[in-house]
Amino acid sequence: MGGDSYDYLVRARDLAAGRRPAESREAVDWALAHARPADTGVLVLAGMVLLMLGDGPAALTVGLRAAGGDPDDWEAQVVVADACRLLVRIPESLAAARRAVALAPHEPEARVALWRALAEYRTFTGIPKEHRLERDATARRAVELGADPRQFRAPRWWLPVLPAIVVGVMVPTAGGWVVGCVLALMAAVAAALWLVQARSSGTSASGRLQSLRALARADLAGDPSRTRTAVIGSGAFLPVIPFAATAFACAAGVGGHPWPDWLVAAAAGGALAALYAAARAIRWWYGADFLRRDFLPSRFAAVQLCAAGALIGTTLALSAAGVRSAGWWALLFYAHFAWFLAALAGAVALLARERRRRDDAAR
């Protein structure tokens, strides 16, 4: 039966290369269902096909099965490294790639996997010097061992940053409806890319979402560092809510045309509703226990929620008091703006610190 599974996986690989993802995924599922537990080679090939299909969660699951069955199989470690890289779990990707190199120091593909992981490693201040030197040395050694030099092209890090720069420039100058339209367009593009990626993997978009959610919850089990990372990541964008709502009411006051009370109340109500929706989303993604036990009691979430509540409440209070002085509205607008920048920068710095901790622990 193991030979049949291998034949099915070879067919699945050819189907994936021929852009027939649904048929390829069906062949992979059949092969895995009939593979013996000791068939590490079958699991490795299945993981490689799943990586071709872009299904990171499934590839990681299969790669971990292969690595557990044979800890000395360097190819299983490469599958784990590439799957973690797709899931933006860079410290784990680095650790697995380094294990692959340690197990097979003369295999170019092991070093290529390590280079790919190193090329994705970034902190808030950029690529650490030691990682940059290691990445360059890894590429040189891989080429010496026979790897294709054209593989070693670092990703253009500035491409994902462009939308954030565009929105950041527009927010202080454009009207709220303009920024809203831009954000809606970005969300639509992201959703379209998600659907295209799901289709290319041979699974439904909802199926991929359920897999990612299950993987996210499983990652938190018994791992305080991952729990802290989830807390920071979940609350990182809370400052956007008051800035996208009541900050525009303050900007109107600065211009000498304060919004009427009912419109300010509507903006504040929308912001509070968005905060509640964010809590519901966190609960849905990570579970009720995470929201109640880890997120809400954390100092990070408390500071974020208190600051958002203070900004929203102060905006309501100024409007209700009939304040028309541009100075007060300007002060409150800059408070929104300063918190927006400081909170996001602080969240990124905290996430970078947790990544360094996990990277150090994995060495």
Side-chain angles (χ1 to χ4, degrees), residues 115 143 147-153:
W115 183 89
V143 171
D148 186 349
R150 292 175 296 181
Q151 297 180 79
F152 304 105
R153 294 178 181 176

Side-chain angles (χ1 to χ4, degrees), residues 32-84:
L32 290 174
H34 294 83
R36 292 190 296 266
D39 287 336
T40 305
V42 168
L43 294 174
V44 168
L45 183 53
M48 291 179 178
V49 176
L50 290 167
L51 287 170
M52 290 176 65
L53 293 172
D55 195 340
L60 179 58
T61 300
V62 172
L64 290 174
R65 282 177 58 190
D70 185 0
D72 295 328
D73 191 325
W74 68 271
E75 290 180 303
Q77 299 296 338
V78 168
V79 172
V80 172
D82 283 338
C84 287

Side-chain angles (χ1 to χ4, degrees), residues 246 261 264-266 268-269 272 311-321 332:
T246 49
D261 291 347
V264 174
L272 293 174
L311 292 170
I312 295 169
T314 305
T315 304
L316 273 174
L318 281 184
S319 178
L332 190 52

